[in-house]
Amino acid sequence: MQQSTRKAMEDRFPRLSEEVELDEKWLPLIDYLSTFGLKESHFIQMYERHMPSLQINVCSAKERLEYLLSVGVKQRDVRRMLLRQPQILEYTVENNLKSHVAFLMSLGIPSSRFGQIIAAAPSLFSYSIENSLKPTVRYLVEEVGIKEKDLGKVVQLSPQILVQRIDISWNTRLNFLSEEIGAPRDSIVKMVKKHPQFLHFSIDDGLLPRINFLRSIGMCNADILKVLTSLTQVSSVFASSQLSSGQRRSFTNCG
């Protein structure tokens, strides 16, 4: 690197220069990514998470990010996506990005929601469609019991459901709710369909304390199950301030 160029980069990015061996070839990419609001501290995070992401040719990076913007990703979400999944700069449009977007379409997800799903789960692109994503979908249909026509709605409600170990989360929560409140399988399936976020909640720190709270206000197991499967949003169950006195009365008829 020429001395003047090195000095200019060190002046612009003193922390980055101190922590990594800067290459002048990175500068066009860094300048481009800066237009999405990335700062010096963000480039350090990207370097620490996945160093090769800063070695991508700026033209290739532009092509990939512009494609994501074209399918609905918001410019304001690009920075957060890159910090979570800097490898996204390496995923080619033809061999990766388009095929994964087509996969979302195959689930019945409207194109207007692609950007939201990608922003929420950018690691989606790191998973093989044939070896990971399709088996996850099959598991949701064949083991959990989600109907194929409902898959798109479930993924829209919780995009992370495609990139987590569904078999582990499903089985542990199925067993927990069956044992804790006597929930039948079809009720738990209904819960997952309406609130797939349920599969992300910790049992010990999330589900059990809330169930105990509902018991403390006089609800029996049947009431608790009705609440979990009937309220519009899971957060309504998990925040006592959102459970109105009317809702409490409507679900406290143990008889």
Side-chain angles (χ1 to χ4, degrees):
M1 184 187 297
Q2 296 180 353
Q3 188 64 30
S4 59
T5 306
R6 176 181 292 277
K7 182 65 166 61
M9 290 190 71
E10 289 175 351
D11 289 344
R12 286 183 61 190
F13 307 107
R15 283 186 57 202
L16 189 59
S17 301
E18 182 179 336
E19 298 199 21
V20 307
E21 188 174 346
L22 276 176
D23 189 322
E24 66 177 337
K25 295 177 182 178
W26 299 0
L27 191 55
L29 177 64
I30 289 175
D31 282 339
Y32 170 64
L33 296 181
S34 296
T35 65
F36 293 98
L38 277 88
K39 308 296 184 186
E40 185 176 24
S41 60
H42 299 137
F43 295 122
I44 293 173
Q45 289 180 52
M46 289 177 64
Y47 181 89
E48 292 175 342
R49 184 177 287 266
H50 188 67
M51 184 270 285
S53 64
L54 294 181
Q55 299 176 329
I56 300 299
N57 176 278
V58 66
C59 293
S60 297
K62 283 183 178 180
E63 179 190 26
R64 291 154 194 176
L65 292 184
E66 285 175 3
Y67 173 76
L68 293 178
L69 292 170
S70 76
V71 297
V73 172
K74 303 295 185 186
Q75 177 141 344
R76 65 174 181 268
D77 292 327
V78 170
R79 181 180 68 179
R80 181 168 53 86
M81 288 171 53
L82 290 175
L83 292 178
R84 291 176 57 189
Q85 190 76 13
Q87 297 95 321
I88 209 165
L89 293 174
E90 299 176 283
Y91 302 147
T92 64
V93 173
E94 292 301 326
N95 296 329
N96 186 295
L97 302 184
K98 283 186 176 181
S99 60
H100 282 69
V101 168
F103 170 75
L104 294 178
M105 186 180 298
S106 73
L107 299 180
I109 296 169
S111 59
S112 60
R113 300 297 296 275
F114 290 165
Q116 179 183 345
I117 291 170
I118 292 168
S123 63
L124 170 77
F125 294 108
S126 67
Y127 288 82
S128 163
I129 292 175
E130 295 299 326
N131 298 327
S132 182
L133 299 179
K134 285 186 176 179
T136 294
V137 167
R138 281 198 300 271
Y139 189 90
L140 287 170
V141 172
E142 297 173 4
E143 300 297 329
V144 177
I146 303 296
K147 295 187 185 322
E148 289 190 16
K149 66 182 180 64
D150 295 322
L151 283 172
K153 184 186 301 182
V154 168
V155 172
Q156 289 177 67
L157 289 170
S158 182
Q160 292 83 0
I161 203 168
L162 290 175
V163 295
Q164 71 172 127
R165 285 292 304 273
I166 295 299
D167 54 344
I168 294 175
S169 59
W170 164 249
N171 286 325
T172 55
R173 284 151 185 77
L174 175 66
N175 293 335
F176 169 74
L177 290 177
S178 296
E179 295 172 4
E180 186 68 26
I181 60 173
R185 182 188 178 95
D186 60 344
S187 292
I188 302 175
V189 171
K190 180 181 178 183
M191 193 185 310
V192 173
K193 176 184 169 183
K194 294 184 69 174
H195 315 301
Q197 304 93 326
F198 154 79
L199 292 175
H200 311 312
F201 292 129
S202 162
I203 290 177
D204 292 335
D205 298 327
L207 294 174
L208 185 58
R210 274 61 178 195
I211 287 173
N212 287 337
F213 162 74
L214 295 176
R215 283 182 177 143
S216 75
I217 60 173
M219 292 188 182
C220 61
N221 288 345
D223 295 334
I224 294 170
L225 180 60
K226 195 182 298 184
V227 168
L228 293 175
T229 56
S230 298
L231 294 186
T232 303
Q233 294 186 11
V234 172
S235 58
S236 298
V237 181
F238 289 168
S240 59
S241 61
Q242 294 180 5
L243 196 64
S244 68
S245 58
Q247 287 174 321
R248 295 184 190 187
R249 286 194 301 271
S250 67
F251 290 116
T252 50
N253 297 308
C254 292

